[in-house]
Coordinates of all heavy atoms in Angstrom, one line a residue:
M250 N -12.6 4.5 -10.4 CA -13.3 4.4 -9.1 C -12.3 5.0 -8.1 O -11.1 4.8 -8.2 CB -13.6 3.1 -8.6 CG -14.3 2.9 -7.5 SD -15.0 1.2 -7.1 CE -16.2 1.1 -8.3
S251 N -12.7 5.9 -7.3 CA -11.8 6.6 -6.3 C -11.7 5.7 -5.1 O -12.3 4.8 -4.8 CB -12.4 8.0 -6.0 OG -13.7 7.8 -5.2
L252 N -10.7 6.2 -4.2 CA -10.4 5.5 -3.0 C -11.8 5.5 -2.1 O -12.4 6.5 -2.0 CB -9.3 6.2 -2.3 CG -7.9 5.9 -2.6 CD1 -6.9 6.7 -1.8 CD2 -7.7 4.4 -2.1
C253 N -11.9 4.4 -1.5 CA -13.0 4.2 -0.5 C -12.5 4.7 0.9 O -11.3 4.7 1.2 CB -13.5 2.8 -0.5 SG -14.0 2.1 -1.9
G254 N -13.4 5.0 1.7 CA -13.0 5.4 3.0 C -13.3 6.9 3.3 O -13.7 7.7 2.4
T255 N -13.1 7.3 4.6 CA -13.4 8.6 5.1 C -12.1 9.5 4.9 O -11.0 9.0 4.5 CB -13.7 8.6 6.6 OG1 -12.4 8.2 7.2 CG2 -14.8 7.6 6.9
D256 N -12.3 10.9 5.0 CA -11.2 11.7 5.0 C -10.2 11.4 5.9 O -9.0 11.6 5.7 CB -11.8 13.2 5.1 CG -12.5 13.7 3.9 OD1 -12.3 13.1 2.7 OD2 -13.3 14.7 3.9
Q257 N -10.6 10.9 7.1 CA -9.7 10.6 8.1 C -8.8 9.4 7.7 O -7.7 9.4 7.9 CB -10.5 10.2 9.4 CG -9.5 9.9 10.6 CD -10.2 9.6 11.9 OE1 -11.4 9.3 11.8 NE2 -9.7 9.6 12.9
D258 N -9.4 8.4 7.0 CA -8.7 7.3 6.4 C -7.6 7.7 5.5 O -6.5 7.3 5.5 CB -9.6 6.3 5.8 CG -10.6 5.5 6.8 OD1 -10.2 5.5 7.9 OD2 -11.6 5.2 6.4
K259 N -8.0 8.7 4.6 CA -7.2 9.3 3.6 C -6.0 10.0 4.3 O -4.8 9.9 3.7 CB -7.9 10.1 2.6 CG -8.9 9.3 1.7 CD -9.7 10.3 0.8 CE -10.7 9.5 0.0 NZ -11.5 10.3 -0.8
E260 N -6.3 10.8 5.2 CA -5.3 11.5 6.0 C -4.2 10.6 6.6 O -3.0 10.7 6.5 CB -5.8 12.4 7.0 CG -4.9 13.3 7.7 CD -5.6 14.3 8.6 OE1 -6.6 14.8 8.3 OE2 -4.9 14.5 9.7
R261 N -4.7 9.4 7.1 CA -3.9 8.4 7.8 C -2.9 7.8 6.7 O -1.8 7.5 6.8 CB -4.7 7.4 8.5 CG -4.0 6.6 9.4 CD -4.8 5.7 10.3 NE -5.3 4.5 9.5 CZ -6.6 4.2 9.3 NH1 -7.6 4.9 9.9 NH2 -7.0 3.2 8.6
L262 N -3.6 7.5 5.6 CA -2.8 6.9 4.4 C -1.7 7.8 4.0 O -0.6 7.4 3.7 CB -3.8 6.6 3.2 CG -4.3 5.2 3.0 CD1 -5.3 5.2 1.9 CD2 -3.3 4.2 3.0
I263 N -2.1 9.1 3.8 CA -1.1 10.1 3.3 C 0.1 10.2 4.3 O 1.3 10.2 3.9 CB -1.7 11.6 3.2 CG1 -2.7 11.4 1.9 CG2 -0.8 12.5 2.9 CD1 -3.6 12.6 1.7
K264 N -0.2 10.2 5.7 CA 0.8 10.3 6.6 C 1.7 9.0 6.6 O 3.0 9.1 6.6 CB 0.3 10.4 8.0 CG -0.3 11.8 8.3 CD -0.9 11.9 9.7 CE -1.4 13.2 10.0 NZ -2.0 13.4 11.3
R265 N 1.2 7.8 6.4 CA 1.9 6.6 6.2 C 2.8 6.6 5.0 O 4.0 6.2 5.0 CB 1.0 5.4 6.2 CG 0.2 5.1 7.4 CD -0.5 3.9 7.4 NE 0.2 2.6 7.4 CZ -0.3 1.4 7.5 NH1 -1.6 1.2 7.4 NH2 0.5 0.4 7.5
L266 N 2.3 7.1 4.0 CA 3.1 7.2 2.7 C 4.2 8.2 2.8 O 5.3 8.1 2.3 CB 2.2 7.5 1.5 CG 1.2 6.4 1.1 CD1 0.2 6.9 0.1 CD2 2.0 5.2 0.6
A267 N 3.9 9.3 3.5 CA 5.0 10.4 3.7 C 6.1 9.7 4.6 O 7.3 9.9 4.3 CB 4.5 11.6 4.5
R268 N 5.8 8.8 5.6 CA 6.9 8.2 6.3 C 7.7 7.2 5.4 O 8.9 7.1 5.6 CB 6.2 7.5 7.5 CG 5.9 8.4 8.7 CD 5.5 7.6 9.9 NE 4.5 6.7 9.8 CZ 3.2 6.9 10.1 NH1 2.9 8.2 10.4 NH2 2.2 6.0 9.9
I269 N 6.9 6.5 4.6 CA 7.6 5.6 3.7 C 8.6 6.3 2.7 O 9.6 6.0 2.4 CB 6.6 4.6 2.9 CG1 5.9 3.8 3.9 CG2 7.2 3.9 1.8 CD1 4.6 3.1 3.3
E270 N 8.0 7.4 2.3 CA 8.9 8.3 1.3 C 10.1 8.7 2.1 O 11.2 8.7 1.4 CB 8.0 9.6 1.0 CG 8.7 10.5 0.1 CD 8.0 11.7 -0.3 OE1 7.1 12.0 0.5 OE2 8.2 12.3 -1.4
G271 N 10.0 9.0 3.4 CA 11.3 9.4 4.1 C 12.2 8.1 4.2 O 13.3 8.3 4.1
Q272 N 11.6 7.0 4.5 CA 12.5 5.8 4.5 C 13.2 5.5 3.2 O 14.3 5.2 3.2 CB 11.5 4.5 4.7 CG 11.1 4.3 6.2 CD 10.3 3.1 6.3 OE1 9.3 3.0 5.7 NE2 10.8 2.1 7.0
I273 N 12.5 5.8 2.1 CA 13.2 5.6 0.8 C 14.3 6.6 0.5 O 15.4 6.2 0.0 CB 12.2 5.7 -0.4 CG1 11.0 4.7 -0.2 CG2 12.8 5.6 -1.7 CD1 11.4 3.2 -0.2
R274 N 14.0 7.8 1.0 CA 15.1 8.9 0.9 C 16.2 8.4 1.8 O 17.5 8.6 1.4 CB 14.6 10.2 1.2 CG 13.8 10.9 0.3 CD 13.6 12.5 0.4 NE 13.0 12.6 1.7 CZ 11.7 12.7 2.0 NH1 10.9 12.6 1.0 NH2 11.3 12.9 3.2
G275 N 16.0 7.9 3.0 CA 17.0 7.4 3.8 C 17.8 6.3 3.2 O 19.0 6.1 3.4
L276 N 17.1 5.4 2.4 CA 17.8 4.3 1.8 C 18.8 4.8 0.8 O 19.9 4.3 0.6 CB 16.7 3.4 1.1 CG 16.2 2.2 1.9 CD1 15.0 1.6 1.3 CD2 17.3 1.2 2.0
A277 N 18.3 5.8 -0.1 CA 19.2 6.4 -1.1 C 20.5 7.0 -0.5 O 21.6 6.8 -0.9 CB 18.4 7.5 -1.9
K278 N 20.2 7.6 0.7 CA 21.5 8.2 1.4 C 22.3 7.0 1.9 O 23.6 7.2 1.8 CB 21.0 9.1 2.6 CG 20.4 10.4 2.1 CD 20.0 11.2 3.4 CE 19.4 12.6 2.9 NZ 19.0 13.4 4.1
M279 N 21.8 6.0 2.4 CA 22.6 4.9 2.8 C 23.4 4.3 1.6 O 24.6 3.9 1.9 CB 21.8 3.8 3.4 CG 21.1 4.2 4.8 SD 19.9 2.8 5.4 CE 21.2 1.7 6.0
V280 N 22.9 4.2 0.4 CA 23.6 3.8 -0.7 C 24.7 4.6 -1.0 O 25.8 4.2 -1.3 CB 22.6 3.4 -1.8 CG1 23.4 3.2 -3.1 CG2 21.6 2.3 -1.5
E281 N 24.3 6.0 -1.1 CA 25.3 7.0 -1.4 C 26.5 7.0 -0.4 O 27.7 7.2 -0.9 CB 24.6 8.5 -1.3 CG 23.7 8.7 -2.5 CD 23.0 10.0 -2.3 OE1 23.1 10.7 -1.3 OE2 22.3 10.4 -3.3
Q282 N 26.2 6.6 0.8 CA 27.4 6.6 1.9 C 28.1 5.4 1.9 O 28.9 5.1 2.8 CB 26.7 7.0 3.2 CG 26.1 8.4 3.3 CD 25.2 8.5 4.6 OE1 25.0 7.6 5.3 NE2 24.9 9.9 4.9
N283 N 27.6 4.5 1.0 CA 28.2 3.1 0.9 C 28.1 2.3 2.3 O 29.1 1.7 2.8 CB 29.7 3.3 0.5 CG 30.2 2.1 -0.2 OD1 29.5 1.2 -0.7 ND2 31.5 1.8 0.0
R284 N 26.9 2.4 2.9 CA 26.8 1.8 4.0 C 26.7 0.2 4.0 O 26.6 -0.3 2.8 CB 25.3 2.2 4.7 CG 25.2 3.7 5.0 CD 25.8 4.1 6.4 NE 25.2 3.5 7.4 CZ 24.1 4.1 8.1 NH1 23.6 5.4 7.6 NH2 23.5 3.6 9.2
D285 N 27.0 -0.5 5.0 CA 26.9 -2.0 5.1 C 25.7 -2.6 4.4 O 24.6 -2.1 4.7 CB 27.0 -2.4 6.5 CG 27.3 -4.0 6.6 OD1 28.3 -4.5 5.9 OD2 26.5 -4.6 7.2
C286 N 25.9 -3.7 3.5 CA 24.8 -4.3 2.8 C 23.7 -4.6 3.7 O 22.5 -4.5 3.4 CB 25.3 -5.4 1.9 SG 26.5 -5.0 0.7
I287 N 24.0 -5.3 4.9 CA 23.0 -5.8 5.6 C 22.1 -4.6 6.3 O 20.9 -4.9 6.5 CB 23.5 -6.7 6.8 CG1 22.4 -7.6 7.4 CG2 24.2 -5.9 7.9 CD1 21.9 -8.6 6.6
E288 N 22.6 -3.5 6.6 CA 21.8 -2.4 7.1 C 21.0 -2.0 5.9 O 19.8 -1.6 6.2 CB 22.9 -1.2 7.4 CG 23.7 -1.4 8.7 CD 24.5 -0.3 8.9 OE1 24.0 0.9 8.9 OE2 25.8 -0.4 9.1
V289 N 21.4 -2.0 4.7 CA 20.6 -1.5 3.7 C 19.4 -2.5 3.5 O 18.2 -2.2 3.3 CB 21.3 -1.3 2.3 CG1 20.5 -1.0 1.1 CG2 22.5 -0.1 2.4
L290 N 19.7 -3.8 3.5 CA 18.8 -4.8 3.3 C 17.7 -4.7 4.4 O 16.6 -4.9 4.2 CB 19.4 -6.2 3.3 CG 20.3 -6.6 2.1 CD1 21.0 -7.8 2.4 CD2 19.3 -6.6 0.9
R291 N 18.1 -4.5 5.6 CA 17.0 -4.3 6.7 C 16.2 -3.2 6.5 O 15.0 -3.1 6.7 CB 17.9 -4.0 8.0 CG 18.4 -5.3 8.7 CD 19.0 -5.1 9.9 NE 19.8 -6.4 10.4 CZ 21.0 -6.5 10.8 NH1 21.8 -5.4 10.9 NH2 21.5 -7.6 11.2
Q292 N 16.7 -2.0 5.9 CA 15.8 -0.9 5.7 C 15.0 -1.1 4.5 O 13.8 -0.7 4.5 CB 16.7 0.4 5.4 CG 17.3 1.0 6.7 CD 16.1 1.4 7.7 OE1 16.0 0.8 8.6 NE2 15.4 2.4 7.2
I293 N 15.5 -1.9 3.5 CA 14.6 -2.3 2.4 C 13.5 -3.2 2.9 O 12.2 -3.0 2.6 CB 15.4 -3.0 1.3 CG1 16.3 -2.0 0.6 CG2 14.4 -3.6 0.3 CD1 17.3 -2.7 -0.3
A294 N 13.8 -4.1 3.8 CA 12.7 -4.9 4.3 C 11.7 -4.1 5.2 O 10.5 -4.3 5.0 CB 13.3 -6.1 5.2
S295 N 12.2 -3.1 5.8 CA 11.2 -2.4 6.7 C 10.3 -1.4 5.8 O 9.1 -1.4 6.0 CB 12.1 -1.3 7.6 OG 11.3 -0.4 8.2
A296 N 10.8 -0.9 4.7 CA 10.1 -0.2 3.8 C 9.2 -1.1 3.1 O 7.9 -0.6 2.8 CB 11.1 0.6 2.8
S297 N 9.5 -2.1 2.6 CA 8.7 -3.1 1.9 C 7.5 -3.6 2.9 O 6.4 -3.6 2.4 CB 9.5 -4.3 1.5 OG 8.6 -5.2 0.9
G298 N 7.9 -3.7 4.1 CA 6.8 -4.1 5.1 C 5.7 -2.9 5.3 O 4.5 -3.1 5.4
A299 N 6.2 -1.7 5.3 CA 5.4 -0.6 5.5 C 4.5 -0.4 4.3 O 3.3 -0.1 4.4 CB 6.3 0.7 5.7
L300 N 5.1 -0.7 3.0 CA 4.2 -0.5 1.8 C 3.2 -1.7 1.8 O 1.9 -1.5 1.5 CB 5.0 -0.7 0.6 CG 5.6 0.7 0.0 CD1 6.6 0.4 -1.0 CD2 4.5 1.5 -0.4
K301 N 3.5 -2.9 2.3 CA 2.5 -4.0 2.4 C 1.5 -3.6 3.3 O 0.3 -3.9 3.2 CB 3.2 -5.3 2.8 CG 4.0 -5.9 1.7 CD 4.7 -7.1 2.2 CE 5.6 -7.7 1.2 NZ 6.4 -8.8 1.7
G302 N 1.7 -2.8 4.5 CA 0.7 -2.3 5.4 C -0.2 -1.4 4.7 O -1.5 -1.4 5.0
V303 N 0.3 -0.5 3.8 CA -0.6 0.3 3.1 C -1.5 -0.4 2.2 O -2.8 -0.1 2.1 CB 0.3 1.5 2.5 CG1 -0.6 2.4 1.4 CG2 1.0 2.4 3.5
W304 N -0.8 -1.3 1.6 CA -1.7 -2.1 0.5 C -2.8 -2.8 1.3 O -4.0 -2.9 0.8 CB -0.8 -3.1 -0.1 CG -1.3 -4.0 -1.2 CD1 -1.4 -3.7 -2.6 CD2 -2.0 -5.3 -1.1 NE1 -2.0 -4.7 -3.2 CE2 -2.4 -5.6 -2.4 CE3 -2.2 -6.0 0.0 CZ2 -3.1 -6.8 -2.6 CZ3 -2.8 -7.3 -0.2 CH2 -3.3 -7.6 -1.5
T305 N -2.5 -3.4 2.4 CA -3.5 -4.1 3.2 C -4.6 -3.1 3.6 O -5.8 -3.4 3.6 CB -2.9 -4.9 4.4 OG1 -1.9 -5.6 4.0 CG2 -3.9 -5.5 5.3
Q306 N -4.3 -1.9 4.0 CA -5.3 -1.0 4.4 C -6.1 -0.5 3.3 O -7.4 -0.6 3.5 CB -4.6 0.2 5.0 CG -5.6 1.4 5.5 CD -4.9 2.6 6.1 OE1 -3.6 2.6 6.3 NE2 -5.6 3.7 6.2
V307 N -5.5 -0.3 2.2 CA -6.4 0.2 0.9 C -7.3 -1.0 0.5 O -8.4 -0.9 0.2 CB -5.5 0.6 -0.2 CG1 -6.3 0.9 -1.5 CG2 -4.8 1.9 0.2
L308 N -6.7 -2.2 0.5 CA -7.5 -3.4 0.1 C -8.6 -3.6 1.1 O -9.8 -3.9 0.6 CB -6.6 -4.7 0.0 CG -7.4 -6.1 -0.3 CD1 -8.0 -5.9 -1.7 CD2 -6.4 -7.2 -0.1
G309 N -8.4 -3.5 2.4 CA -9.5 -3.7 3.3 C -10.6 -2.6 3.1 O -11.8 -2.9 3.1
D310 N -10.2 -1.4 2.8 CA -11.1 -0.3 2.7 C -11.9 -0.6 1.3 O -13.2 -0.3 1.3 CB -10.4 1.0 2.6 CG -9.8 1.5 3.8 OD1 -10.2 1.1 4.8 OD2 -9.1 2.4 3.8
H311 N -11.3 -1.1 0.4 CA -11.9 -1.5 -0.9 C -13.0 -2.6 -0.8 O -14.0 -2.5 -1.2 CB -10.8 -1.8 -1.9 CG -11.3 -2.1 -3.3 ND1 -12.0 -1.1 -4.1 CD2 -11.3 -3.1 -4.1 CE1 -12.4 -1.6 -5.2 NE2 -12.0 -2.8 -5.3
L312 N -12.6 -3.5 0.0 CA -13.3 -4.7 0.3 C -14.7 -4.3 1.0 O -15.7 -4.6 0.7 CB -12.8 -5.9 1.0 CG -11.8 -6.6 0.3 CD1 -10.9 -7.6 1.1 CD2 -12.3 -7.4 -0.9
R313 N -14.4 -3.5 2.1 CA -15.6 -3.0 3.0 C -16.5 -2.0 2.3 O -17.6 -2.0 2.6 CB -15.0 -2.5 4.3 CG -14.5 -3.5 5.2 CD -14.2 -2.9 6.6 NE -13.0 -2.1 6.5 CZ -11.7 -2.6 6.5 NH1 -11.5 -4.0 6.6 NH2 -10.6 -1.8 6.4
G314 N -15.9 -1.3 1.3 CA -16.7 -0.2 0.7 C -17.1 -0.5 -0.6 O -18.2 -0.9 -0.8
C315 N -16.2 -0.5 -1.6 CA -16.5 -0.7 -3.0 C -17.0 -1.9 -3.4 O -18.0 -2.2 -4.0 CB -15.3 -0.4 -3.8 SG -14.5 1.3 -3.6
I316 N -16.4 -3.0 -2.9 CA -16.8 -4.5 -3.1 C -18.1 -4.8 -2.5 O -18.9 -5.5 -3.1 CB -15.6 -5.5 -2.8 CG1 -14.4 -5.1 -3.6 CG2 -16.2 -6.9 -3.0 CD1 -14.6 -5.5 -5.1
A317 N -18.4 -4.4 -1.2 CA -19.5 -4.6 -0.6 C -20.7 -4.0 -1.4 O -21.7 -4.6 -1.5 CB -19.4 -4.1 0.9
Q318 N -20.5 -2.7 -1.7 CA -21.5 -2.0 -2.5 C -21.7 -2.7 -3.9 O -22.9 -2.9 -4.2 CB -21.1 -0.6 -2.8 CG -22.2 0.2 -3.4 CD -21.8 1.6 -3.6 OE1 -20.9 2.1 -3.0 NE2 -22.6 2.4 -4.5
A319 N -20.7 -3.1 -4.5 CA -20.9 -3.8 -5.8 C -21.6 -5.1 -5.6 O -22.4 -5.5 -6.4 CB -19.5 -4.1 -6.4
A320 N -21.3 -5.9 -4.5 CA -22.1 -7.1 -4.4 C -23.5 -6.8 -4.2 O -24.4 -7.6 -4.6 CB -21.5 -7.8 -3.1
M321 N -23.8 -5.8 -3.3 CA -25.3 -5.4 -3.1 C -26.0 -5.0 -4.4 O -27.2 -5.3 -4.6 CB -25.4 -4.4 -2.0 CG -25.1 -4.8 -0.7 SD -25.6 -3.6 0.6 CE -24.5 -2.2 0.1
E322 N -25.2 -4.4 -5.3 CA -25.8 -3.9 -6.6 C -25.6 -4.9 -7.7 O -26.0 -4.7 -8.8 CB -25.2 -2.6 -7.0 CG -25.4 -1.4 -6.0 CD -24.7 -0.2 -6.3 OE1 -23.8 -0.2 -7.3 OE2 -24.9 0.8 -5.5
N323 N -25.0 -6.1 -7.4 CA -24.8 -7.1 -8.4 C -23.8 -6.7 -9.5 O -24.1 -7.0 -10.6 CB -26.1 -7.8 -8.8 CG -25.8 -9.2 -9.4 OD1 -24.8 -9.9 -9.0 ND2 -26.7 -9.6 -10.3
D324 N -22.9 -5.8 -9.1 CA -22.0 -5.3 -10.2 C -20.7 -6.2 -10.3 O -19.7 -5.9 -9.6 CB -21.6 -3.8 -9.7 CG -20.8 -3.2 -10.7 OD1 -20.3 -3.7 -11.7 OD2 -20.4 -2.0 -10.6
Q325 N -20.9 -7.2 -11.1 CA -19.7 -8.2 -11.2 C -18.6 -7.6 -11.8 O -17.4 -8.1 -11.5 CB -20.2 -9.3 -12.1 CG -19.4 -10.5 -12.1 CD -19.3 -11.2 -10.8 OE1 -20.4 -11.2 -10.0 NE2 -18.2 -11.6 -10.3
A326 N -18.5 -6.6 -12.5 CA -17.4 -5.9 -13.2 C -16.4 -5.4 -12.1 O -15.1 -5.6 -12.3 CB -17.7 -4.8 -14.0
V327 N -16.8 -4.8 -11.1 CA -15.8 -4.4 -9.9 C -15.3 -5.5 -9.2 O -14.1 -5.5 -8.9 CB -16.7 -3.4 -8.9 CG1 -15.9 -3.0 -7.8 CG2 -17.2 -2.2 -9.6
I328 N -16.0 -6.5 -9.1 CA -15.5 -7.7 -8.4 C -14.6 -8.4 -9.2 O -13.3 -8.8 -8.9 CB -16.7 -8.6 -7.9 CG1 -17.5 -7.9 -7.0 CG2 -16.1 -10.0 -7.5 CD1 -18.9 -8.6 -6.6
D329 N -14.8 -8.5 -10.5 CA -13.9 -9.1 -11.5 C -12.5 -8.4 -11.6 O -11.5 -9.0 -11.8 CB -14.6 -9.2 -13.0 CG -15.7 -10.3 -13.0 OD1 -15.8 -11.1 -12.0 OD2 -16.5 -10.2 -13.9
E330 N -12.7 -7.1 -11.6 CA -11.5 -6.2 -11.7 C -10.6 -6.5 -10.3 O -9.4 -6.6 -10.6 CB -12.0 -4.7 -11.5 CG -10.9 -3.7 -11.7 CD -11.4 -2.2 -11.5 OE1 -12.1 -2.0 -10.8 OE2 -10.8 -1.4 -12.3
L331 N -11.1 -6.7 -9.3 CA -10.3 -7.0 -8.1 C -9.6 -8.4 -8.3 O -8.5 -8.6 -8.0 CB -11.2 -6.8 -6.8 CG -10.4 -7.3 -5.5 CD1 -9.1 -6.3 -5.3 CD2 -11.2 -7.3 -4.4
V332 N -10.5 -9.3 -8.7 CA -9.9 -10.7 -8.9 C -8.8 -10.7 -9.9 O -7.7 -11.3 -9.7 CB -11.1 -11.7 -9.4 CG1 -10.5 -12.9 -9.7 CG2 -12.1 -11.8 -8.1
D333 N -9.0 -9.9 -11.0 CA -8.0 -9.9 -12.0 C -6.6 -9.2 -11.5 O -5.6 -9.8 -11.7 CB -8.4 -9.0 -13.1 CG -7.5 -8.9 -14.3 OD1 -7.0 -10.0 -14.8 OD2 -7.1 -7.8 -14.7
H334 N -6.8 -8.2 -10.7 CA -5.7 -7.5 -10.0 C -4.9 -8.5 -9.1 O -3.7 -8.7 -9.1 CB -6.1 -6.3 -9.2 CG -5.0 -5.8 -8.4 ND1 -3.9 -5.0 -8.9 CD2 -4.8 -5.8 -7.1 CE1 -3.1 -4.7 -8.0 NE2 -3.6 -5.2 -6.8
L335 N -5.7 -9.2 -8.2 CA -5.1 -10.1 -7.3 C -4.3 -11.3 -8.0 O -3.3 -11.8 -7.5 CB -6.2 -10.6 -6.4 CG -6.7 -9.7 -5.4 CD1 -8.0 -10.2 -4.6 CD2 -5.7 -9.2 -4.4
Q336 N -4.8 -11.7 -9.2 CA -4.1 -12.8 -9.8 C -2.9 -12.3 -10.4 O -1.9 -13.1 -10.7 CB -5.1 -13.3 -11.0 CG -6.2 -14.1 -10.5 CD -7.2 -14.5 -11.6 OE1 -7.3 -13.8 -12.7 NE2 -8.0 -15.6 -11.3
K337 N -2.7 -11.1 -10.8 CA -1.5 -10.4 -11.4 C -0.4 -10.2 -10.3 O 0.8 -10.2 -10.7 CB -1.8 -9.1 -12.1 CG -2.7 -9.4 -13.3 CD -3.0 -8.1 -14.0 CE -3.8 -8.3 -15.3 NZ -4.4 -7.1 -15.9
I338 N -0.7 -10.0 -9.1 CA 0.4 -9.7 -8.1 C 1.0 -10.9 -7.7 O 0.4 -12.0 -7.6 CB -0.2 -8.8 -6.9 CG1 -1.3 -9.5 -6.2 CG2 -0.7 -7.5 -7.5 CD1 -1.6 -8.9 -4.9
R339 N 2.2 -10.8 -7.2 CA 3.1 -11.9 -6.8 C 3.8 -11.4 -5.6 O 4.4 -10.4 -5.5 CB 3.9 -12.4 -7.8 CG 3.2 -13.1 -8.9 CD 4.1 -13.9 -10.0 NE 3.6 -14.6 -11.0 CZ 2.5 -14.7 -11.6 NH1 1.7 -14.0 -11.4 NH2 2.4 -15.5 -12.6

């Protein structure tokens, strides 16, 4: 199943992911430069929060699009797939 949402949503996701990619490259440079641990930890927390935001956006789009459609069509497999995924993440 492909990503749910509009082309505008996908463009927004790509831009967010590009910013996160830049954050990760910045983290690598910080490690190479032997920067202070607390600075690196702060950047890791920031990148992690940004990824959680992307995850939340994709999940919301999936619930509003794919899952809503599956519920209307009584497609239990798509719903079970999401439940299985949510059980595996920690």
Side-chain angles (χ1 to χ4, degrees):
M250 186 169 291
S251 64
L252 273 174
C253 301
T255 65
D256 286 341
Q257 185 178 17
D258 293 333
K259 289 177 188 177
E260 188 175 317
R261 196 173 74 232
L262 265 177
I263 290 168
K264 286 180 181 179
R265 289 180 79 176
L266 289 167
R268 283 193 300 273
I269 294 166
E270 182 180 22
Q272 284 182 291
I273 300 302
R274 280 194 306 270
L276 268 166
K278 286 182 183 178
M279 290 176 78
V280 171
E281 287 173 356
Q282 295 168 353
N283 204 27
R284 299 277 291 271
D285 187 55
C286 293
I287 198 70
E288 291 178 49
V289 174
L290 289 170
R291 284 185 184 126
Q292 282 304 112
I293 291 171
S295 177
S297 178
L300 273 174
K301 286 179 186 175
V303 169
W304 185 88
T305 301
Q306 181 181 344
V307 173
L308 177 62
D310 290 348
H311 185 58
L312 290 170
R313 285 186 290 278
C315 304
I316 297 297
Q318 182 177 347
M321 287 189 299
E322 296 173 358
N323 201 25
D324 184 355
Q325 192 63 39
V327 174
I328 296 167
D329 290 343
E330 180 182 43
L331 177 60
V332 169
D333 184 55
H334 170 72
L335 293 173
Q336 289 175 338
K337 290 178 182 175
I338 62 172
R339 290 184 175 29

